Amino acid sequence: QSVLTQPPSVSGAPGQRVTISCTGRSSNIGAGYDVHWYQQLPRTAPKLLIYANSNRPSGVPDRFSGSKSGTSASLAITGLQAEDEADYYCQSYDTSLSGWVFGGGTKLTVL
Amino acid sequence: QVQLVQSGAEVKKPGASVKVSCKTSGYTFTNYYLHWVRQAPGQGLEWMGRISPIGVSTTYAQKFQGRVTMTKDSSTSTVYMELSGLKSDDTAMYYCAREGGAGYGYWGQGTLVTVSS
């Protein structure tokens, strides 16, 4: 049972837009801690996709965007491409656990 | 360029300990915390703890307190993660990752630890 809740899977056709939610609580996202998003392709280490809620590292396409509101955050991917098929994880800090926490991950399937 | 290079795969028996290394290069070692994250087969990411590049400060996830020890060798810019009392469900890929104040921008390649009798 992850502290941050993500849907296990989402899917979309090429060119479409999908969103992945990350629901937390008052001890993490709701307390104002930043949310980061990672993309993990099969058999590779995770890659930072969005940092501090809505910022893209250099090299990440602007098709990827993040937002945060209240105790939740979202990752949006527009113009879906086959190469976006991967697992996506959100991360934040939890004050009651005194440590960092991840969501359970969401598998994105491009139909 | 920034690199985090981890030690090779390990096979251990239940009850044993494992020590995984993460050698960093391409940046000033004392400027960034290093974290350890693990991923069991087919499962999600799990934060284990972090070590300060200065002094002796460590922070461990409650789940691993008493079983995990993170250390560093500043002379070689290397951090270590030792996990004791291994059980079969400790079988996982273990990653080190550099905290940049805004997420983990750099990751090691991962070290597979298999616990089997």
Side-chain angles (χ1 to χ4, degrees), chain A residues 36 38 40 46 51 89 91 100, chain B residues 39 44 47 50 102-104 107:
Chain A
H36 315 302
Y38 300 89
Q40 187 177 33
Y51 68 92
Y89 295 90
Q91 181 198 30
W100 282 258
Chain B
Q39 185 172 37
W47 181 76
R50 76 167 186 176
Y104 306 148
W107 294 69

Side-chain angles (χ1 to χ4, degrees), chain B residues 1-6 21-29 32 34 76-79 96-98 105-110:
Chain B
Q1 71 282 22
V2 175
Q3 287 192 304
L4 282 64
V5 179
Q6 298 182 223
S21 68
C22 172
K23 182 172 176 56
T24 72
S25 61
Y27 71 96
T28 301
F29 180 74
Y32 297 90
L34 268 293
T76 61
S77 301
T78 301
V79 296
C96 60
R98 193 189 83 168
Y106 294 93
W107 294 69
Q109 83 277 19

Side-chain angles (χ1 to χ4, degrees), chain B residues 9-101:
Chain B
E10 303 262 13
V11 179
K12 296 292 184 181
K13 293 193 183 302
S17 297
V18 68
K19 191 170 186 177
V20 180
S21 68
C22 172
K23 182 172 176 56
T24 72
S25 61
Y27 71 96
T28 301
F29 180 74
T30 52
N31 285 355
Y32 297 90
Y33 281 82
L34 268 293
H35 294 232
W36 289 90
V37 175
R38 79 175 187 179
Q39 185 172 37
Q43 303 301 308
L45 303 174
E46 182 173 33
W47 181 76
M48 298 182 69
R50 76 167 186 176
I51 182 167
S52 170
I54 301 171
V56 296
S57 175
T58 53
T59 305
Y60 301 139
Q62 293 174 4
K63 174 177 179 177
F64 299 103
Q65 283 181 3
R67 274 212 308 146
V68 70
T69 304
M70 296 177 188
T71 57
K72 66 179 184 294
D73 180 347
S74 299
S75 68
T76 61
S77 301
T78 301
V79 296
Y80 301 89
M81 187 283 299
E82 183 170 20
L83 189 62
S84 62
L86 289 171
K87 301 167 284 189
S88 59
D89 60 5
D90 290 318
T91 293
M93 187 71 79
Y94 290 76
Y95 295 101
C96 60
R98 193 189 83 168
E99 177 194 345

Side-chain angles (χ1 to χ4, degrees), chain A residues 61-104:
Chain A
D62 59 6
R63 301 186 296 105
F64 296 90
S65 62
S67 63
K68 173 187 157 185
S69 178
T71 57
S72 295
S74 288
L75 172 70
I77 310 172
T78 59
L80 264 183
Q81 300 180 4
E83 67 206 48
D84 299 332
E85 193 160 283
D87 294 322
Y88 293 83
Y89 295 90
C90 59
Q91 181 198 30
S92 188
Y93 182 83
D94 191 286
T95 188
S96 66
L97 297 173
S98 299
W100 282 258
V101 291
F102 286 97

